[in-house]
Amino acid sequence: MRLVTGAHSAVFLSPERSVGLCSGTANSEFGSGPTLALPSTLSRSSVPPAFVHRITKYDPAGRDEHGSYRGAEEAVSDHGPVEAAYLEAVSAFAEAAGIDRLEIREPSVTGFVHFGAQPAVEGHGLSGLFPADLTGYHDGAEVSLEVALELIRVMLREQGAWCRLEAGDVFTVHVGWDQYVYVGSDRPCTDAVVRTRELGLFAEPLVASPYAAEPEVTEAADEGFWASVRTELATRQGLLLEETHIVNATRWHRLTTENLNTVRAGLGPRALLAVWPDLQPDVGAVLTALPSEWHIEFVWETKDGTIRDVTVDETQYQELAALVADARAARALSLYTDERSPLLQAVLPDSDGVLRARW
């Protein structure tokens, strides 16, 4: 067993749990990937691009009658010429579409489980692209085509970060399982298709990307939401705020009437906010009440005031007790959707009041 700690979290992972719950193969490709205050100039409507191509290294001649690939190509990046060909092909499509900047949407990093055939790396592969605290890697952040191509490289290598790259309804790039890349454009990009073939890859036309976003209706964290927070604070004296600004990257805040405005001012762009009852001062009682099985998320405040969280199962409770021996307060939260019910939940809108995050 190994203990992995970070600035805001600590997670127990046994070796067998450090691999993905599932891994794809080149035989089939389905599923979906796992967001500054100012709204992006690239944001337009949610209409998907009309022309979508699946870029692959898999020769259609190597597929059987069911469409499953049976050739010799590996379903991982070669970290070499084939990977470079993918990036050049995407660049050709971007040039044909007149795109030199893209918007990061729904960014995520490796969490409790790493999905992928290749192991995650420290820093999620984002070192050199973003600071250690991942400032600038958030929903709605605009990046140059050069940075976008490096993000695609990280995703092809399955290093621990994933996001959609979009320019409104004009251009999209989605990286899927097994070295499949989906490029959408509002124009045919015929020259880019030809260039992709010259690079030794294939650009197969599709109706739509299987990774197209499916936004859910979400409440905006507007003044009404914050009024509800103040009402809860007046009743409870304290609250616990869960701030998720990147999938699998959560920050925790203990809220009081006195610090509410300060905490609010420091929240990340387009963050998903969940308000829970405050941490309990009797840490021993929280440990005693842990369920006899299943995983739980344990949140605690250290003696220096830092709030951390850990995901554990019933086999790790003894180590958990040692880890939180000096904790000031704690709370256990279920990881299961039907049991995870915060007091309040909402998403930060942009500075113009419009909610654009797609949590």
Side-chain angles (χ1 to χ4, degrees):
M1 182 176 295
R2 59 194 177 94
L3 177 63
V4 182
T5 61
H8 301 285
S9 64
V11 181
F12 287 109
L13 291 179
S14 59
E16 67 272 16
R17 291 195 181 95
S18 64
V19 299
L21 292 177
C22 60
S23 60
T25 68
N27 296 336
S28 62
E29 220 293 300
F30 302 102
S32 60
T35 76
L36 279 151
L38 292 176
S40 169
T41 57
L42 296 175
S43 298
R44 300 187 185 181
S45 71
S46 59
V47 179
F51 301 94
V52 177
H53 289 86
R54 181 175 69 174
I55 299 175
T56 84
K57 59 183 177 180
Y58 308 116
D59 190 333
R63 296 185 183 276
D64 62 19
E65 66 275 17
H66 304 293
S68 297
Y69 179 71
R70 303 300 183 187
E73 292 285 354
E74 297 286 342
V76 295
S77 174
D78 67 344
H79 293 224
V82 177
E83 177 184 274
Y86 271 99
L87 301 184
E88 189 169 342
V90 173
S91 183
F93 274 91
E95 181 180 354
I99 298 299
D100 61 3
R101 296 187 68 79
L102 287 161
E103 186 177 35
I104 295 173
R105 300 308 312 265
E106 293 87 48
S108 65
V109 294
T110 294
F112 179 56
V113 173
H114 170 63
F115 294 92
Q118 296 179 287
V121 301
E122 185 176 357
H124 317 290
L126 300 175
S127 299
L129 295 176
F130 300 95
D133 63 359
L134 299 186
T135 298
Y137 181 65
H138 62 79
D139 188 71
E142 290 184 20
V143 295
S144 66
L145 178 59
E146 180 182 11
V147 172
L149 292 173
E150 289 304 312
L151 284 170
I152 293 169
R153 187 194 306 276
V154 169
M155 289 185 272
L156 287 172
R157 295 183 179 185
E158 299 177 345
Q159 292 184 316
W162 190 91
C163 66
R164 294 180 177 90
L165 293 164
E166 303 180 356
D169 55 1
V170 174
F171 192 77
T172 60
V173 183
H174 304 148
V175 179
W177 293 105
D178 306 325
Q179 308 294 287
Y180 286 92
V181 177
Y182 300 86
V183 179
S185 177
D186 65 344
R187 60 192 73 176
C189 299
T190 305
D191 290 344
V193 174
V194 173
R195 179 58 181 150
T196 299
R197 190 65 189 92
E198 292 173 348
L199 292 165
L201 303 176
F202 302 89
E204 304 164 342
L206 296 178
V207 174
S209 166
Y211 292 79
E214 298 179 359
E216 297 182 1
V217 177
T218 309
E219 180 184 350
D222 55 16
E223 291 305 323
F225 169 81
W226 293 109
S228 297
V229 172
R230 292 186 183 91
T231 299
E232 290 287 345
L233 276 175
T235 302
R236 300 171 181 268
Q237 304 304 313
L239 294 169
L240 181 65
L241 177 65
E242 179 184 12
E243 174 201 359
T244 305
H245 57 294
I246 301 170
V247 177
N248 290 323
T250 297
R251 296 189 295 191
W252 298 89
H253 312 273
R254 294 190 76 177
L255 296 180
T256 65
T257 302
E258 291 74 22
N259 74 358
L260 176 60
N261 290 336
T262 301
V263 171
R264 181 179 174 182
L267 297 174
R270 302 186 179 182
L272 173 64
L273 308 178
V275 178
W276 302 93
D278 196 11
L279 301 179
Q280 299 170 243
D282 190 343
V283 178
V286 178
L287 290 168
T288 301
L290 292 177
S292 59
E293 59 182 12
W294 307 117
H295 290 86
I296 59 97
E297 183 172 23
F298 196 89
V299 186
W300 77 99
E301 185 179 61
T302 66
K303 61 182 179 181
D304 65 1
T306 302
I307 301 179
R308 296 184 177 276
D309 73 300
V310 61
T311 299
V312 297
D313 63 22
E314 70 280 2
T315 67
Q316 300 160 325
Y317 287 172
Q318 185 174 351
E319 292 173 79
L320 173 63
L323 181 65
V324 303
D326 295 329
R328 292 177 175 175
R331 177 167 291 278
L333 299 173
S334 173
L335 289 174
Y336 301 96
T337 303
D338 58 352
E339 300 176 2
R340 196 175 176 90
S341 301
L343 301 171
L344 299 165
Q345 182 167 285
V347 177
L348 285 178
D350 290 332
S351 60
D352 60 359
V354 176
L355 181 59
R356 294 182 176 87
R358 297 187 300 224
W359 286 99

